[in-house]
Amino acid sequence: EALRRGVDVETLARITGFDPWFLREFSAIVSMEMELGEFRGQPLEALPEELLRRLKENGFSDRALARLLDVPEGSVRARRRALGIKMHLRTVDTCAGEFAARTPYLYGTYHGSPEWKRPATRDSVVILGSGPNRIGQGVEFDYCCVHGVMALREMGVEAAMMNCNPETVSTDFNVSDRLFFDPLTLEDVLEVLEAERPRGVVVQFGGQTPLRLMKGLAEAGIPILGTSVEMTDLAEDRERFRDLIDRLGLLQPRSGLVHTIDEALPEIRRIGFPVLVRPSYVLGGEAMEILYDLDDWAEYERRVTSLDFRFPLLVDSFFSDATEVDVDALGDGREVVVGGILEHVEQAGIHSGDSACFIPPRSLSEAVLSEICRQTRILGSALSVRGLMNIQFAVQNETVYVLEVNPRASRTVPFTSKAIGFSLPKVAMRIMMGETLASLGLSGHRPRLLPYTAVKEAVFPFRRFQGADILLSPEMKSTGEVMGLSGDFGGAFRDAQEASGMRLPESGTVFVSVSDRDKPAAVQVARSLHETGFRIVATGGTALALEAAGIPSDRVLKVKEGRPHIVDLIKDGEVHLVINTVSGKQAQKDSLSIRQETLLRNIPYYTTIEGARALVLALEKKQDPSGPRSLQELHRLLGEGAGA
């Protein structure tokens, strides 16, 4: 931007410390932008072929050119192709010439000439990956892509992967028949697919990134395997989805939709605090938040107006005391079966990628489980799902509410597949290739009664970021997950905690400080910890609640109340476990230093009362003397008829 405004390279180098070589490269790009600017507002035919070719060779995407020329991206693509300017696929010899590479690595460029042409031997299918690993888009989708490839190869169909992340299994040399190592943009995908000419392309395994390309691919005439574009859009479009739920006679939280920031507050007042606000088509719960009062709304409004914010904005009534449930299911266009029902440890309001969850559920009644299965079948049939589907429910007072439906792979699919003993993505791939649940022997399948409990726990990157806050929210913050397996929930939760890096103490001092709404539950948690042998320290309000219940505790000052306060105790190594829940923005700010000091010293911490309850069950379980067992051993129990 500085170069665009006329700052010279030498001045920039002195100010920024950047090597002048890089700045000269940037300067060349800016010069071409200015050259292109002369043609803004003119017909595309006026743009010289030589200039357009040079722009493409220097990395200008169709989208960037469209923005600079103020024309539709499709028009730039049509003009470029009419002039014969196409992306060439070239190869990377992954074996350095020593022997023939088993998997060609291909990349696209507008330079040179093509080095690869698809052999006309067998059918092929292209699977679009999830792109770069980043917070909000987990590597769990890579599991789905790899298992999809495995299913295709088992069926004798060539599997081509398109992904641009070297830190994934899907880009390993021995996974697919071909790998296209290019960005997952509409331009790059269309160019690759024109060269590959596959039977179809799979977008439902890679998460939101390839899903966003679905409409553009369909408009270009690309055959998309699995659930249709229309039905996927119906599920993703918050307004259309809300209408669908009403038509099906299912329940959902009271909600509204706003298209401008000025419409938001009147809609929030109509629904009533607390509310969950979320934009359409978001990655990892981006810009989703729970608002408890007008101060929260004012802060949210200030932040979103400074962002490239995507409307419409959905406003949901928030259930603060509901159990959240994930369901992973399969559909073949005619029938829908449930693969697994996962109960969340944290209540509704924590992003599903961050929440600990477990199979089988332990607090849901048979009536609720049956209703969840019924609603899953209704929704899958209404959306004509072909392949994977994930549904998120909230259960409050035995009533089931639909929160969200995703007719695609979800973050929980790898965990569910490992827990139940068969690969959901493999089955989904076979369905997309024309098989049915009946032909696969899964017609009428019901969730297995497992002889063990499996717990998924999220892994967070907080220790890598100075000043990070460990509070969980509707916006995803985790970067990975682990799995604990045991004969009961407590043992599985303990194993999952330790696998995620939290070494649970067997004795010592626990600090308890909770919000008013959590105090009744905190009393029960504290009583169990006291009976286990822990000493309890608590801040004023929590200490009074414990004292009233006859639970001994030592009072400690909050940071704002003077010294020595709780952070001093943590620094002195006198605290071995922290349970700290807050409500409201001011309370979050007041307790930030506690959470950060806890994080710095790698002390196990729990910021939800549900997590603290699960902790108590984990501390009551001792390590299994028989030692760890592999997934394969546990799956053999299923094969021997243990609940199958």
Side-chain angles (χ1 to χ4, degrees):
E1 185 59 32
L3 289 164
R4 287 185 182 122
R5 298 186 185 201
V7 180
D8 61 82
V9 167
E10 291 73 21
T11 302
L12 265 183
R14 187 174 66 254
I15 294 170
T16 63
F18 293 171
D19 190 294
W21 185 90
F22 293 102
L23 294 172
R24 283 193 290 271
E25 295 295 311
F26 286 132
S27 184
I29 292 171
V30 171
S31 297
M32 280 187 278
E33 283 183 357
M34 291 178 175
E35 190 176 352
L36 182 65
E38 299 173 15
F39 297 92
R40 187 180 177 90
Q42 297 185 36
L44 270 176
E45 290 72 22
L47 186 66
E49 177 183 345
E50 181 276 330
L51 175 58
L52 181 55
R53 190 177 299 276
R54 186 156 50 90
L55 286 162
K56 295 303 295 181
E57 288 176 350
N58 279 275
F60 282 79
S61 67
D62 291 348
R63 188 176 180 183
L65 292 173
R67 187 182 69 250
L68 291 165
L69 292 168
D70 196 22
V71 296
E73 181 182 345
S75 301
V76 173
R77 185 171 299 114
R79 172 64 177 161
R80 169 176 63 76
R81 287 184 165 180
L83 294 172
I85 304 172
K86 296 185 178 181
M87 190 171 80
H88 304 310
L89 289 169
R90 298 177 67 85
T91 60
V92 178
D93 187 352
T94 54
C95 298
E98 292 188 33
F99 48 87
R102 286 176 57 186
T103 301
Y105 271 41
L106 305 167
Y107 68 96
T109 176
Y110 286 89
H111 284 277
S113 57
E115 290 183 336
W116 175 84
K117 186 176 181 181
R118 181 187 181 277
T121 51
R122 293 188 292 173
D123 273 351
S124 71
V125 168
V126 173
I127 295 178
L128 301 184
S130 57
N133 280 354
R134 56 216 186 269
I135 297 174
Q137 179 100 2
V139 77
E140 299 92 337
F141 293 114
D142 203 55
Y143 173 96
C144 300
C145 292
V146 171
H147 279 243
V149 167
M150 291 164 66
L152 287 170
R153 299 183 84 173
E154 289 168 5
M155 298 167 70
V157 178
E158 286 194 343
M161 268 299 309
M162 185 170 179
N163 208 359
C164 54
N165 183 1
E167 291 298 324
T168 55
V169 180
S170 66
T171 52
D172 282 359
F173 74 94
N174 60 349
V175 170
S176 59
D177 293 291
R178 275 182 297 287
L179 172 68
F180 297 99
F181 207 84
D182 279 296
L184 289 164
T185 67
L186 184 60
E187 174 184 345
D188 289 275
V189 172
L190 286 175
E191 294 292 320
V192 164
L193 294 178
E194 182 176 326
E196 175 67 31
R197 302 188 310 280
R199 180 197 295 192
V201 62
V202 176
V203 300
Q204 67 171 248
F205 286 161
Q208 197 68 250
T209 299
L211 215 65
R212 288 173 174 172
L213 305 177
M214 201 175 184
K215 193 173 182 181
L217 293 174
E219 289 171 351
I222 302 298
I224 295 173
L225 302 179
T227 307
S228 69
V229 176
E230 168 63 20
M231 290 302 173
T232 302
D233 186 68
L234 193 157
E236 287 284 332
D237 186 301
R238 305 297 185 188
E239 192 164 20
R240 295 180 66 202
F241 177 69
R242 186 179 59 182
D243 293 340
L244 172 69
I245 297 297
D246 290 340
R247 286 201 310 274
L248 294 175
L250 304 180
L251 297 177
Q252 58 185 329
R254 193 166 63 252
S255 65
L257 202 72
V258 298
H259 295 85
T260 68
I261 201 73
D262 294 331
E263 298 173 13
L265 188 54
E267 191 66 17
I268 290 172
R269 289 184 187 277
R270 181 187 70 80
I271 293 168
F273 288 107
V275 294
L276 175 67
V277 289
R278 49 182 172 160
S280 290
Y281 286 97
V282 297
L283 183 74
E286 177 188 357
M288 286 173 60
E289 196 163 318
I290 301 166
L291 309 179
Y292 290 95
D293 52 36
L294 287 172
D295 290 340
D296 288 355
W297 163 248
E299 174 67 18
Y300 186 79
E301 182 183 25
R302 183 190 64 77
R303 284 193 292 109
V304 300
T305 49
S306 66
L307 300 172
D308 178 20
F309 196 69
R310 290 182 293 277
F311 282 97
L313 181 72
L314 188 71
V315 183
D316 283 332
S317 176
F318 174 64
F319 296 149
S320 57
D321 56 349
T323 300
E324 190 163 348
V325 178
D326 257 279
V327 174
D328 286 319
L330 291 161
D332 62 7
R334 292 179 289 276
E335 185 182 3
V336 178
V337 298
V338 174
I341 300 175
L342 295 75
E343 182 179 342
H344 288 222
V345 171
E346 287 82 9
Q347 289 184 348
I350 305 300
H351 191 278
S352 59
D354 289 353
S355 179
C357 60
F358 52 93
I359 295 178
R362 54 191 293 269
S363 70
L364 305 178
S365 68
E366 283 299 320
V368 166
L369 292 173
S370 296
E371 178 63 14
I372 286 172
C373 289
R374 185 187 76 87
Q375 294 194 19
T376 298
R377 290 192 291 270
I378 289 173
L379 287 163
S381 298
L383 294 170
S384 300
V385 168
R386 291 186 60 83
L388 285 164
M389 174 177 69
N390 172 263
I391 307 179
Q392 292 166 28
F393 295 100
V395 180
Q396 186 182 54
N397 300 325
E398 293 289 291
T399 303
V400 178
Y401 297 87
V402 179
L403 298 181
E404 193 170 350
V405 178
N406 295 303
R408 58 168 172 83
S410 71
R411 287 179 183 83
T412 52
V413 163
F415 171 72
T416 303
S417 297
K418 290 170 187 285
I420 65 176
F422 73 88
S423 171
L424 295 173
K426 277 190 176 182
V427 177
M429 189 71 252
R430 286 185 170 273
I431 289 171
M432 284 187 267
M433 294 299 287
E435 297 188 46
T436 64
L437 288 164
S439 69
L440 292 165
L442 291 170
S443 182
H445 172 85
R446 293 185 62 80
R448 287 177 163 180
L449 298 172
L450 303 177
Y452 49 78
T453 296
V455 172
K456 176 183 82 75
E457 180 59 278
V459 177
F460 297 94
F462 300 134
R463 291 186 184 90
R464 296 178 181 270
F465 299 105
Q466 187 175 0
D469 194 349
I470 61 180
L471 276 182
L472 302 181
S473 72
E475 188 164 346
M476 186 173 167
K477 298 176 182 177
S478 61
T479 50
E481 60 185 39
V482 295
M483 183 175 183
L485 283 153
S486 186
D488 55 42
F489 174 79
F493 188 78
R494 182 206 59 231
D495 290 350
Q497 295 303 290
E498 296 198 351
S500 70
M502 283 195 185
R503 301 293 296 181
L504 300 182
E506 295 184 1
S507 61
T509 299
V510 55
F511 166 65
V512 182
S513 179
V514 298
S515 61
D516 288 342
R517 67 168 181 256
D518 289 333
K519 282 185 172 63
V523 166
Q524 300 304 319
V525 168
R527 178 172 284 112
S528 297
L529 290 170
H530 172 64
E531 291 171 355
T532 308
F534 281 87
R535 170 192 172 226
I536 298 172
V537 297
T539 49
T542 304
L544 288 174
L546 298 181
E547 182 183 339
I551 302 167
S553 66
D554 297 327
R555 182 177 172 180
V556 63
L557 297 176
K558 296 179 180 179
V559 173
K560 63 182 181 181
E561 292 175 341
R563 306 189 81 158
H565 48 58
I566 178 55
V567 174
D568 293 325
L569 243 63
I570 295 171
K571 285 180 177 179
D572 292 341
E574 294 183 36
V575 174
H576 308 97
L577 192 61
V578 170
I579 297 170
N580 178 214
T581 75
V582 295
S583 61
K585 289 289 185 292
Q586 189 57 48
Q588 290 179 18
K589 291 176 183 176
D590 290 345
S591 57
L592 176 61
S593 59
I594 299 172
R595 296 190 296 276
Q596 288 180 337
E597 195 63 38
T598 300
L599 181 68
L600 183 67
R601 298 179 184 279
N602 200 23
I603 298 170
Y605 53 81
Y606 294 86
T607 59
T608 65
I609 201 65
E610 299 80 27
R613 284 179 177 140
L615 163 71
V616 167
L617 294 175
L619 290 171
E620 290 172 353
K621 296 298 296 183
K622 301 301 178 185
Q623 200 76 34
D624 188 344
S626 63
R629 288 188 289 178
S630 68
L631 273 175
Q632 288 78 2
E633 288 178 86
L634 293 167
H635 291 166
R636 276 196 290 274
L637 293 177
L638 298 175
E640 292 164 3

